[in-house]
Amino acid sequence: MTDTDQNTYTPSEVEAKWAAQWEANGLYRFDPNSPRPKFYWLTMFPYPSGDLHIGHWYAIAPSDAGARFKRMKGFNVFFPMGFDAFGLPAENAAIKNNIHPKDWTYKNIERMRGQLKMMGAMFAWDHEVITCEPDYYRWSQWIFLKLFEKELAYREFSPVDFCPSCNTTLAREQVVGEDKVCERCSTPVEKRALNQWKLAITRYAQELLDFSGIEWPEAVRTMQTNWIGRSEGVEFKMALTEGDGAALRVFTTRPDTLFGVTFCVISPEHPLVEQITTPENKPAVEAYRKAAASKTDIERMADNKEKDGVFTGAYALHPFTGQKIPVWVADYVLMDYGTGAIMAVPAHDTRDRAFARRYGLPCPVVLKPQGSPDPAPLLPPEDETYTAKEGSVMVNSGEFTGLVWPESFNRVAGALEAKKVGKRSVNYRLRDWLISRQRMWGTPIPIIHCKTCGTVPVPYQDLPVRLPDDAVFKPTGESPLKDHAGFLHVNCPRCGQPAQRETDTMDTFICSSWYMYAYLSPYWKKGQAAGEQDTPWDLNRVKQWLPVDQYTGGIEHAILHLLYVRFFAMALADVGALPVRAPVMRLVNQGIILGEDNEKMSKSRGNVVAPDPLVKRHGADAMRAFLMFIGPWDQGAPWNSKGIEGVTRFLADVWSLARNVEAPPAQTPGQEEQAALRRLTHQTIRKVEEDYGQFKFNTLLASLMAFRNELKTMRPTLAGSPAWEEAMDALILMLAPVAPYLTEELWQRRHPGPSVHLQAWPSWDATLAQNTVVSLVVQVNGKVKDKLHIAADTPTEGLEALALASPKVREALEGKTVRKVIPIGGKDNRLVNIVAG
C-alpha cells in the first residue's frame, strides 16, 4: 500500500502485506498453556493433489471464520492443518512421470501450503503433520503393533473386493453404488481370495451405535447406524440327515415364520457343502460351486438376477415338527454374512418366493395381518408376499397360532431356548476393516514372515519400517516392494534366520484415524527410538486438549473416516494409549459447491471453477465472503459467477465507510439519531453473534450488508459522532472472521497496535438492542392493505383500534361489515387480520 493510494482498496496489496506480517509476528502460533479456556477446532485435512479446488475453499474458509469467532469470544483456539499424504494418485503419477511418489507429493504440498496461507486462515502451522513422513507413520505402525498384541489386528485368507484398475484390495466401505464400483475410480470390483490384514472393528459394533454425549448430525448417525446394521434375532440349529451328526446353524430375525420354512439355503463356500452333499448330487453341486466362484458378490446379489441353486440331497429337520426340509446351495447367500445359511420362508420373503416358484417348492402361509380373515394354507400366485412385523399374527403354526408380534417372537424364541437348540442373539452387518493394500505408497505393515517363527511383529525399537526412496514402479501398478531386495529381505528378530517383510501397506484411512491427536505434539519423540510403553503423543497434552470440540467436513466421510475415527479412539483407549473414547464432541457437515450448471463439478463437464484466478482478481477476502454468502453452508449451492461481484462491492463499501470519514456535520447529531444508530448496531451484533454460533454464515453476511446500507444512509449526518465510531468498530470486528485481511488493514488505520484478530468480540446491550418502533401489518380478508409503524410497547389489545384507524384500511372496508378482528402480537412485528363481508 503506497502513500498515494491510502484511500484505495487494492486487495492484492493489502493481503500480501498482512500475510507476511502475521507470519513474521507469529500471530497464530499456538500456546497450549494459555490461561484461556481451551477450544480444539478441527477441519478435515486435504490430500495433496496439487491445487486447492473450490471444494477445499468451501470447507475450510467458513471453518476458519468459525474458529476466529471462537477466539474473539475468549477461547484459546487450536486450529491446526496438515496433509493426508499417502494414496494412489501419487503412485499413479509416479508410474506416469517416472518419478518417486514422495517427490510428487512434497511438490504438491509446497504449492498447496502456499495456497492455504493465501486463504488467510489462522492455522497453527507450527503443529503441521504430513502423514507420509516416517516420523508420523512410525506411530501408525506402533498403533498396529498394539492392536496386534490385543488380537484386534489379524491376518486371514478370505475373499476380498479387488479393484483391477487400482490393482489393490478395497475395504467394504470403499465399494459403492448399486453396481458395486471402486469409490475412487468407479471401476467394477472383482472378488479375489487373498491373505489380508484386518482390524476387528466388529468387536466395537455395539459401542459404535451409541452416540450419547456427542453432538453429531442426525444424517451421519443414521448412516453409521444403518451401516453397522444391528439385527436382533435367534440363532438356532437343525439336525441334518447327512454329514455324520452335523447340524445347520441359521440366524433369523423372524422366528415367528419358522413354521413356514420349506427349504434351507447355504452359501457355495459353506464348509458343510462337501460334508452333506450326497454322491448322486455331488457333480451338480461341484459344477454350481465352480460357477459361483467366478462371480463377484455384485453379480450374485443383483436384484435383477434370477435366483438359482442346486439341491444337495441332504435335509434339515424342523426343530418343532421334525419335518424334513431340503437343503439347497445358492449363490445369493454369502458366507461372510450371518452364518452363511438361511431358512427360507417363501410366503413371507420375496427373494425366497422367487426361488420357490422356480423350483416348485411349496409356499405355506404362516402370518396374516391382525383382524384379517384366515388366509388360504398356500400362497396363491397372484397374492403379494406379506412381510410386516407390527400387527402380524401367526397362523398354521401349531401351538403358536394366534400369537401377535412381538409376543410371537418371544414365545418361539423361548421355545427354541427351552429345547436347547437356539438362543437369542444379535447380528451385525458391519464387517471387520480390511486394511491391506497391494500398493507401495502407504504405511508399511510392521510384520515379518519367518519360515520358522511364523508371523513376527517388528520390535518397537526398530520402527519405523521405512519405504525405500529408490523404488522402481511398474506400469502394471504392482507394488515395487515385492521385488525390492533392500526392503523385502530381513533377518527374523526372534531366531535370526533369513525372513521377509510384509509387502502390503495399510489403508490410508489408518493415517487419518488418529491425526487429530498427532497435531497436539507433532512427530512426537522425533529422532528417538519408539518404546513399547510409549504413546504416539504427549499424553499430558492429549489429556488437556481432548476431545476435539468442533469438527467440520463432508458427510461423504460418514461411513469411512468418521466411523474409523470413533473405532480408533475406542481401541486406543483399550490399549491404554488414549484417555477418551469419544474423540469428537460436535460435528458439522458442509454441503457441496456445484457448477454453475447445477451439476457436480468435473473436468469432463467443463464446469470446474478454479479459485486462484478469482483470488487474483477479487482477493481472498472476497472469495471467502462469497462462499459463505452463496447459501446455507450445510446445504451447499451452485456457483454463481456474478454473485462474487456483489460481495466485492460490499467489501469496497466497508472500506469506504471506514476510511472516508467526512468532516463532522455543522450541527451535532441529535440524541435521537445517535440512539437509533446505537440500537441498530447492538441489534446487528446480537444477530451476527447468534449466526456465527449456528454456522449461518449466509444470514450473518446478509445482516452485515443490511447494516452497511443503513450506515451509508446515516453517514452524512452521523459520521464522526460517538455512535458512528462505535458502529464502525463493531462492523470491522463482526466482519473480521470472514474477511481477515481487509479488517486488519482498517483496524490498524483506526487503532494502530495489536491485531484486530486479538480483539474481543463486541458486546451488545439487551436494553439498547430493543426496538422502540415495530411494524404492524394490517390485512383485510387475508390481503395486506397497510403497514404501520407503532410504538414497541403497544399492547396487543390496542392493535385493533390502530388498524381500524388507518385511512387505507377504512377505504378497503367501505361498504363492508367487520365480522372479526384478529390481532397477533410479536417481538419485532405485529399483525391484525380483519375479516369483513
Side-chain angles (χ1 to χ4, degrees), residues 33 55 73 113 117 147 208 227 351 446 514 530 642 761 791:
N33 299 313
K73 291 294 288 182
R113 189 188 288 122
K117 289 182 177 181
L147 298 180
L208 287 166
W227 186 256
R351 188 177 57 174
W514 67 276
K642 295 180 181 178
W761 181 257

Side-chain angles (χ1 to χ4, degrees), residues 184-254:
R184 194 193 72 82
C185 68
S186 299
T187 300
V189 301
E190 299 174 355
K191 187 66 73 174
R192 296 188 184 180
L194 298 169
N195 264 321
Q196 300 291 288
W197 285 96
K198 296 181 179 181
L199 299 185
I201 189 174
T202 53
R203 294 195 200 172
Y204 295 86
Q206 187 58 46
E207 188 174 0
L208 287 166
L209 288 170
D210 183 5
F211 295 91
S212 60
I214 59 176
E215 187 182 346
W216 283 37
E218 180 64 32
V220 174
R221 298 200 306 267
T222 299
M223 290 169 73
Q224 290 196 2
T225 298
N226 292 341
W227 186 256
I228 295 166
R230 186 180 192 274
S231 299
E232 294 184 9
V234 178
E235 185 176 312
F236 66 97
K237 63 182 180 181
M238 293 181 279
L240 291 162
T241 58
E242 308 293 332
D244 297 326
L248 182 66
R249 291 188 309 110
V250 300
F251 173 84
T252 180
T253 60
R254 299 300 302 270

Side-chain angles (χ1 to χ4, degrees), residues 605-806:
R605 289 195 180 98
N607 63 353
V608 173
V609 176
D612 284 7
L614 291 166
V615 172
K616 187 175 181 180
R617 179 180 175 187
H618 300 284
D621 280 344
M623 187 71 168
R624 290 167 59 103
F626 177 57
L627 288 171
M628 293 183 226
F629 184 61
I630 199 170
W633 192 54
D634 61 340
Q635 297 177 28
W639 179 260
N640 182 337
S641 56
K642 295 180 181 178
I644 195 170
E645 303 284 352
V647 170
T648 302
R649 288 193 297 272
F650 163 65
L651 296 179
D653 282 347
V654 172
W655 174 273
S656 176
L657 285 167
R659 286 297 308 145
N660 300 335
V661 180
E662 298 155 0
Q667 295 183 345
T668 302
Q671 291 300 312
E672 187 174 332
E673 290 92 340
Q674 291 205 58
L677 176 53
R678 293 201 73 200
R679 182 167 53 252
L680 178 62
T681 300
H682 285 250
Q683 287 174 341
T684 305
I685 296 171
R686 178 180 63 187
K687 176 65 166 64
V688 171
E689 179 178 322
E690 179 182 304
D691 285 350
Y692 268 121
Q694 298 178 9
F695 292 83
K696 295 180 178 179
F697 302 108
N698 59 323
T699 56
L700 75 84
L701 276 164
S703 296
L704 291 176
M705 290 175 180
F707 190 42
R708 174 268 317 257
N709 293 338
E710 295 292 337
L711 290 172
K712 288 173 71 175
T713 302
M714 296 176 174
R715 182 166 62 179
T717 56
L718 288 173
S721 68
W724 179 265
E725 294 304 309
E726 179 188 18
M728 284 296 98
D729 282 353
L731 175 61
I732 294 169
L733 291 170
M734 285 187 287
L735 186 58
V738 173
Y741 292 114
L742 168 69
T743 53
E744 182 73 284
E745 178 69 24
L746 292 175
W747 187 261
Q748 292 303 323
R749 293 186 176 205
R750 293 174 60 81
H751 307 285
S755 169
V756 69
H757 304 301
L758 296 177
Q759 307 304 314
W761 181 257
S763 60
W764 55 274
D765 185 289
T767 302
L768 287 174
Q770 284 183 344
N771 278 323
T772 58
V773 177
V774 296
S775 296
L776 171 62
V777 176
V778 186
Q779 296 179 340
V780 175
N781 295 331
K783 295 183 178 180
V784 175
K785 296 300 180 183
D786 202 359
K787 184 176 182 180
L788 310 174
H789 296 288
I790 64 173
D793 58 0
T794 303
T796 302
E797 53 270 22
L799 300 180
E800 179 177 342
L802 291 170
L804 293 173
S806 161

Side-chain angles (χ1 to χ4, degrees), residues 139 142 146 524-525 528-537 577:
W139 292 113
W142 184 96
K146 284 295 180 184
W524 181 236
K525 295 194 173 181
Q528 303 177 38
E532 183 178 353
Q533 302 306 317
D534 283 334
T535 54
W537 36 74

Side-chain angles (χ1 to χ4, degrees), residues 118-176:
M118 179 176 64
M119 186 186 290
M122 55 170 271
F123 295 130
W125 284 111
D126 53 327
H127 281 252
E128 177 193 68
V129 295
I130 300 171
T131 62
C132 67
E133 277 286 328
D135 283 307
Y136 184 93
Y137 68 70
R138 74 161 175 165
W139 292 113
S140 293
Q141 294 170 343
W142 184 96
I143 292 169
F144 177 92
L145 293 178
K146 284 295 180 184
L147 298 180
F148 182 73
E149 289 173 5
K150 294 288 186 179
E151 298 183 346
L152 289 169
Y154 65 95
R155 191 176 188 233
E156 73 171 4
F157 189 81
S158 62
V160 294
D161 293 313
F162 190 90
C163 175
S165 174
C166 298
N167 203 16
T168 189
T169 53
L170 302 172
R172 186 162 169 252
E173 293 85 349
Q174 291 167 313
V175 180
V176 299

